[in-house]
Amino acid sequence: DMQMTQSPSSLSASVGDRVTITCRASQGVNNYLAWYQQKAGRAPKLLIYGASTLQSGVPSRFSGSGSGTDFTLTISSLQPEDVATYYCQKYNSVPFTFGPGTKVDLK
Amino acid sequence: EVLLLESGGGLVQPGGSLRLSCAASGFTFTSYSMAWVRQAPGKGLEWVVSIAGDGGTKDYADSVKGRFTISRDNSKNILYMQMNSLRADDTAVYYCAKPGSNTITSGRGFDFWGQGTLVTVSS
């Protein structure tokens, strides 16, 4: 079965730090890769689709890159409101699998 | 404004049934595939099932195949999920989600999510 992995599983960073989260697919996903942010007790929020396209209204400090099987979400300057769990998801074909998540908090 | 409002969650015994609903507004419902995504307590997100805009194509995760059934009423703008033979590991918050394009595989992820409804399977 198709697998999605993320690293790290959690990280602590300071306000203003550059944060990088990696997502890897066990098979190529043709850049049909999305990133979501989920704050505690809230529904997920779409940040990035197509591996690198910023969803409308999302701050420009978020960016996505990668292709094929290896993808990255970068927060250029971490803000307190970015404390959340981040998930990648492939949607090129069923099953539309999510990664296990990366929890980001403040140091 | 796009709104997705789930309902129907609650406490059910193992082996029991429950039907979830998701009332949609703010977009042309019949033009979009829709999906259910769940999240067990303290766990990650799991895609459960999706349905085409016309209700024709339905795809299920292996974990629910044969037990859950997705449907939609395009005259009422409501998405449903009938859950039978419920197990303890079905305990989760269930979200309905709308893709950013007409179909999920068209390339824009899930751009709107409901607030979720909690299903607890326990005796």
Side-chain angles (χ1 to χ4, degrees):
Chain A
D1 273 357
M2 178 71 174
Q3 300 293 327
M4 303 293 291
T5 58
Q6 286 182 235
S7 61
S9 56
S10 65
L11 66 90
S12 293
S14 300
V15 173
D17 281 355
R18 184 179 184 89
V19 170
T20 298
I21 299 168
T22 297
C23 174
R24 175 165 290 174
S26 59
Q27 301 170 30
V29 298
N30 296 325
N31 291 0
Y32 282 49
L33 191 285
W35 289 97
Y36 300 88
Q37 175 194 65
Q38 187 179 33
K39 298 183 179 181
R42 304 287 296 274
K45 173 187 175 182
L46 178 65
L47 298 176
I48 302 279
Y49 62 89
S52 61
T53 302
L54 197 67
Q55 173 68 354
S56 176
V58 174
S60 59
R61 63 180 178 274
F62 291 93
S63 64
S65 64
S67 63
T69 60
D70 294 303
F71 303 90
T72 299
L73 174 70
T74 299
I75 309 172
S76 60
S77 177
L78 189 69
Q79 300 302 303
E81 60 267 32
D82 300 335
V83 168
T85 300
Y86 294 84
Y87 296 93
C88 61
Q89 182 203 20
K90 62 89 125 176
Y91 54 90
N92 59 315
S93 62
V94 293
F96 303 123
T97 309
F98 291 86
T102 295
K103 187 174 183 180
V104 174
D105 60 26
L106 290 177
K107 192 179 293 183
Chain B
E1 180 191 8
V2 172
L3 288 176
L4 300 171
L5 184 61
E6 302 97 336
S7 61
L11 175 64
V12 61
Q13 293 187 338
S17 298
L18 213 53
R19 187 177 82 157
L20 305 185
S21 300
C22 172
S25 60
F27 64 103
T28 305
F29 184 67
T30 190
S31 295
Y32 288 84
S33 296
M34 294 291 293
W36 289 96
V37 175
R38 69 183 180 183
Q39 186 169 38
K43 302 298 184 182
L45 300 169
E46 179 189 13
W47 166 79
V48 175
V49 60
S50 56
I51 185 170
D54 63 2
T57 300
K58 304 172 185 180
D59 293 299
Y60 295 88
D62 288 345
S63 57
V64 306
K65 204 170 290 183
R67 300 186 300 120
F68 290 12
T69 302
I70 192 172
S71 62
R72 60 193 296 161
D73 185 335
N74 285 344
S75 69
K76 297 180 179 178
N77 289 1
I78 300 178
L79 177 72
Y80 299 103
M81 183 165 66
Q82 178 68 40
M83 304 186 295
N84 297 332
S85 303
L86 283 161
R87 312 184 303 219
D89 63 358
D90 295 318
T91 295
V93 173
Y94 285 76
Y95 297 100
C96 68
K98 168 194 168 291
S101 300
N102 297 72
T103 65
I104 296 168
T105 54
S106 293
R108 297 183 64 178
F110 292 118
D111 64 346
F112 284 96
W113 298 64
Q115 86 291 345
T117 187
L118 176 63
V119 172
T120 303
V121 184
S122 175
S123 55

